[in-house]
Amino acid sequence: MVIAPPALEARWPGLARAAWMLLLATLVFAAGNALYRNKTNGLWKHPDQVIPIRVLQSMHQRGDRDTDWARTSMPGHFHKFHYNFSGYLIASKAVLDTAGGAAYADEALLADDLLRISRVFSAFTLVLVFLQVARYRGWLHGLAAAAAVSAVPQLLQDANYMRPEAIGTFLFTLVFCLALPRPRGTGLRLLQVAVLCLLAGFLTTIKFT
């Protein structure tokens, strides 16, 4: 006996809900990105923000992925054997390379791109919050949760810094979301554990001293 797949009409409620959730997730991202694109990034200064600029420029000039601070032109106490921020720097370089790498020659342009990376990952964190809460409590609660998290001062600050916290917060939230489901079958459980271990390992490379 051949079992035919359900007709489109029978699947439509599920497809409509998926489309609705995708639309809301897109709106959450757009709203978060707009919220974090504000004038405070020109007011907030952090001495660490020179690190990604100088390290990424050095990596690009050498053509490698060595994030050693001692191999850069950083001033003062930053110029030493150090691999802090490594995961963040390598991930940022991968993103920048996809755009052709023109920003490496201009510190102001590179700073804008790095701020954009922080802003985008902060907005993606809001999307994860929305999707996770909406999964258990509905889309209205998901929107409320995303709005509440967007106003957290730490997230607002990190979205306007050229530092690893924005990517780290996104990855931590992703690990949390992926750890909640209970897959059926040993294979899927092992895959879940493997993905979580890889993400956790990458997280340790983002911020360590």
Side-chain angles (χ1 to χ4, degrees):
M1 182 178 66
V2 178
I3 300 177
L8 178 61
E9 291 78 7
R11 302 199 306 266
W12 175 246
L15 293 174
R17 183 180 186 279
W20 175 241
M21 294 299 292
L22 177 61
L23 174 62
L24 291 178
T26 302
L27 292 176
V28 168
F29 174 83
N33 191 42
L35 173 65
Y36 297 136
R37 188 191 290 114
N38 56 68
K39 297 180 180 180
T40 56
N41 58 33
L43 301 175
W44 295 348
K45 300 295 182 182
H46 197 292
D48 285 2
Q49 292 190 108
V50 70
I51 295 171
I53 291 178
R54 299 296 175 83
V55 175
L56 286 169
Q57 286 178 330
S58 297
M59 291 168 66
H60 178 69
Q61 291 169 1
R62 296 191 309 266
D64 61 27
R65 289 180 173 81
D66 188 351
T67 62
D68 183 8
W69 297 8
R71 301 184 67 187
T72 71
S73 60
M74 279 193 289
H77 66 281
F78 288 135
H79 192 268
K80 60 184 177 180
F81 178 76
H82 216 316
Y83 279 90
N84 203 8
F85 297 4
S86 287
Y88 161 69
L89 293 167
I90 292 173
S92 296
K93 188 175 189 304
V95 173
L96 293 168
D97 286 347
T98 60
Y104 295 114
D106 186 332
E107 285 197 9
L109 184 59
L110 182 56
D112 286 342
D113 284 348
L114 288 171
L115 286 172
R116 186 176 298 110
I117 289 173
S118 294
R119 185 171 65 243
V120 165
F121 275 99
S122 295
F124 275 131
T125 298
L126 300 181
V127 172
L128 290 179
V129 171
F130 162 72
L131 292 175
Q132 189 63 35
V133 175
R135 178 185 178 192
Y136 293 100
R137 301 291 296 177
W139 64 267
L140 193 58
H141 286 83
L143 290 178
V149 172
S150 71
V152 174
Q154 189 68 42
L155 192 61
L156 177 64
Q157 172 185 280
D158 293 342
N160 289 280
Y161 275 159
M162 294 176 283
R163 284 178 53 86
E165 283 79 7
I167 290 180
T169 301
F170 167 78
L171 289 175
F172 181 85
T173 307
L174 180 61
V175 168
F176 178 80
C177 293
L178 293 177
L180 287 180
R182 300 182 62 182
R184 295 181 180 179
T186 303
L188 290 177
R189 293 193 188 100
L190 291 175
L191 178 61
Q192 181 189 41
V193 171
V195 171
L196 292 174
C197 287
L198 286 173
L199 290 173
F202 184 68
L203 268 169
T204 63
T205 71
I206 287 180
K207 186 72 174 80
F208 64 91
T209 56

